[in-house]
Every structure is written in C-alpha cells, then in structure tokens.
Amino acid sequence: MASKSHTNFSPARIWTLAAATVTQLIRMKILAFLVVLCIALVAWGFAFSVLNPEQQLKQLKAGAFAALQVFSIVIAIVATALLLPRDLEDRTLYTILSKPVPRYEYLLGKLLGVLLLIGAGLVVMDVAFSGVLYLRERMLLAQIIQSLNASSTEDLAQIEGYVAKQGLTWNLHLGVMAIFLKAAVVSSLALMISCFASSTLFTVMITFSAVVIGHGQAMMRDFFLNGKMTAVMEQGLSALLAILTPDLGVFDVVENVIQGEVVTWGATQVMLGTAAMYVVGYCVVSHLLFVEKEL
C-alpha cells in the first residue's frame, strides 16, 4: 500500500493541534471562570428592580457586555501566554516538532485553539445573556400591561418603544462579534510576543499594556497629533502608532449597542477588515520569530 505523501500545509493537522489546545486549556480550569461569569450575569439581570424599564435593560446589557469583555480579554492574554511555556515545560513542543509538522502549523493550531475556546465561551454567554434579557423584557412588558389603567396611551407607547429599543435585537449579537474580533487581535498579539518573550509574566504584562494603549489611541492622536503638525506627518505617526499597538478602539461599538444604536454595515466591514489585517500581520511576524527560535 502506498503511503500518503506529506504536504506542506494541512488543515487536518492544524485542526488536530487546535483540538488538543482546547483540551489543554479546559484542563487548566478555564471553564470554571466561564461558569462563574454566567452565574454573575444571571444574578445581574435581576438586580435592578427599582429602576425604570429603560434603565434596567441598559444596566443589564452593560453588565453582560462587561462580563463578555473580561472573559474574552483575560482568556486571550493569559491562555495564549501560557501555551508555549507550558508545551516547553511538558516537552510536548519537542514531540510535535519532531514530527513533520511545520512550525507555522503549530502556531496556527495553537491560535485557532484559543479562538475556538473564546468563540465557544462567547456563544454560551451570548445565549445566557439573550435568555436573561428576553425574560427581563417580557417581565417589564407584563408590568406595563398590568398598570395600563394608571398610564396614558402616549406614556404606554413611549415605554413600549424604550423596551423594544433596549430589548433583545440582532444588534446585540454584532456587539458580541466585535468583542470576539477584538479578542482575536489580542490573542494573535500575545502569540507574537510569546515567541520572543523570556517568561509568561513578560508576555502578559506587555500584551496588557498594548491593550490599554490600543484602547486609547484615538485620545492620544487627538491630544498629541491633532493640529500640531502637518497632515502628512500626522498620518504617518498615526499609522506608526497603529502598527506598534493595535487600534482596538475600532471594535468599541458596545457602548452604542447599550444605548440602543444600530451597528452599521460599514462599521462591521471596518471591524472585520481591521481584525483580519492585524491577525494576519501578527501571525506572519510570529512565524518569522518562531522559525528562528532555538528550542
């Protein structure tokens, strides 16, 4: 029987590495963190009975999106930073690379595994979030109907409009998608840093610093660049800043979603394009660093 020829790029090998990475992360008790956040989300959903309907739903969405962002960013930074050191410590890395597995496939498999875990976690939390928000919306509408005799028609229509605007809509899922895209950028950044970092703590600290700077890029550009130099220099320095740290402000549509504003198709395209650019760029640099790394 003829043996199968080896290919330089195999999606099956990458998928196998990704599945093994998910298993590895689950063994690190990552899911316990997810369960705690889901329980906190449900409790948060029923903690604002003294507020008006619009405020209750806004507070619920704000708390839920905060939990989603904490989960995704923490997993993106910590889980990715732990992968290479853990594989080196367990000597799993040597076993994998001793086989005909290119180093870029190893990196892609690891990154895909982290993204699968983050994506699955966000889906679970999105389902819990949607369920709690739907129940809360129904309860508020029931309370409104019960108090019909005490409200005018105009007041009732206004409250129903607020509830519908702040309730469960497809727009909420675009907010969750924006959180996932941001986490994908942060994960790929952490992977790149871990390829040259001397310790896990160094990777975590540098990535966390980049995340903070990335969220404040627009403010930094306004404060340091706007109107203080020529347009060409301003654009050049803005581009340099965006290269050194990811412009995470592009993905900050959550506040708009909480306020009931619609995420436009144009904004969605910008988020998808920006995420693809950063992830591909960081993966290419990661490969260039990892292929020269002495193991």
Side-chain angles (χ1 to χ4, degrees):
M1 180 182 294
S3 60
K4 293 182 178 179
S5 60
H6 178 74
T7 58
N8 291 327
F9 181 79
S10 170
R13 286 198 296 264
I14 294 174
W15 180 256
T16 300
L17 287 166
T21 302
V22 172
T23 304
Q24 181 183 15
L25 292 173
I26 290 175
R27 287 173 179 168
M28 294 178 181
K29 311 298 183 187
I30 296 291
L31 288 183
F33 182 50
L34 176 63
V35 171
V36 170
L37 285 179
C38 285
I39 294 173
L41 173 61
V42 174
W44 181 266
F46 296 93
F48 306 103
S49 58
V50 297
L51 302 176
N52 67 42
E54 183 187 15
Q55 289 174 328
Q56 289 184 45
L57 294 177
K58 279 186 177 179
Q59 291 286 359
L60 172 56
K61 288 191 290 185
F65 276 121
L68 291 170
Q69 299 212 62
V70 168
F71 166 78
S72 62
I73 294 299
V74 169
I75 299 299
I77 295 177
V78 178
T80 309
L82 283 170
L83 288 177
L84 291 183
R86 182 60 63 91
D87 279 0
L88 281 169
E89 182 182 337
D90 297 341
R91 307 190 72 78
T92 309
L93 178 62
Y94 303 110
T95 304
I96 295 173
L97 296 183
S98 65
K99 303 179 184 301
V101 177
R103 292 193 179 194
Y104 60 81
E105 286 190 355
Y106 171 81
L107 292 176
L108 289 176
K110 289 294 176 183
L111 179 61
L112 180 60
V114 175
L115 296 185
L116 284 173
L117 186 67
I118 293 174
L122 287 178
V123 169
V124 171
M125 295 182 72
D126 188 21
V127 170
F129 171 33
S130 299
V132 172
L133 183 61
Y134 178 78
L135 288 175
R136 200 64 180 155
E137 181 183 346
R138 293 296 99 187
M139 289 172 62
L140 291 172
L141 285 175
Q143 292 173 6
I144 292 170
I145 293 172
Q146 192 174 13
S147 60
L148 260 177
N149 295 331
S151 301
S152 68
T153 306
E154 291 76 13
D155 289 340
L156 178 61
Q158 186 180 28
I159 293 175
E160 286 180 331
Y162 282 150
V163 172
K165 182 179 178 182
Q166 300 298 341
L168 181 60
T169 66
W170 286 106
N171 206 41
L172 294 175
H173 305 304
L174 288 178
V176 178
M177 186 192 74
I179 291 173
F180 174 76
L181 293 176
K182 183 194 294 186
V185 172
V186 174
S187 290
S188 57
L189 172 64
L191 182 68
M192 182 189 74
I193 294 173
S194 70
C195 288
F196 65 84
S198 56
S199 68
T200 301
L201 181 61
F202 178 83
T203 302
V204 171
M205 295 302 293
I206 295 299
T207 308
F208 180 75
S209 300
V211 168
V212 173
I213 296 173
H215 279 102
Q217 275 202 27
M219 186 173 62
M220 293 173 66
R221 284 195 296 268
D222 289 340
F223 186 79
F224 293 108
L225 304 179
N226 191 21
K228 296 181 174 61
M229 55 191 68
T230 64
V232 174
M233 287 188 64
E234 187 176 323
Q235 291 174 357
L237 290 175
S238 296
L240 179 61
L241 184 61
I243 291 172
L244 294 176
T245 59
D247 187 359
L248 299 178
V250 172
F251 307 101
D252 286 339
V253 299
V254 167
E255 187 59 34
N256 302 68
V257 174
I258 293 172
Q259 297 302 323
E261 299 175 12
V262 176
V263 179
T264 64
W265 173 235
T268 304
Q269 288 178 305
V270 170
M271 288 191 295
L272 290 170
T274 303
M277 179 187 70
Y278 278 118
V279 170
V280 172
Y282 288 141
C283 285
V284 170
V285 177
S286 298
H287 169 65
L288 295 176
L289 292 171
F290 194 60
V291 78
E292 299 294 334
K293 190 178 180 71
E294 293 185 5
L295 300 173

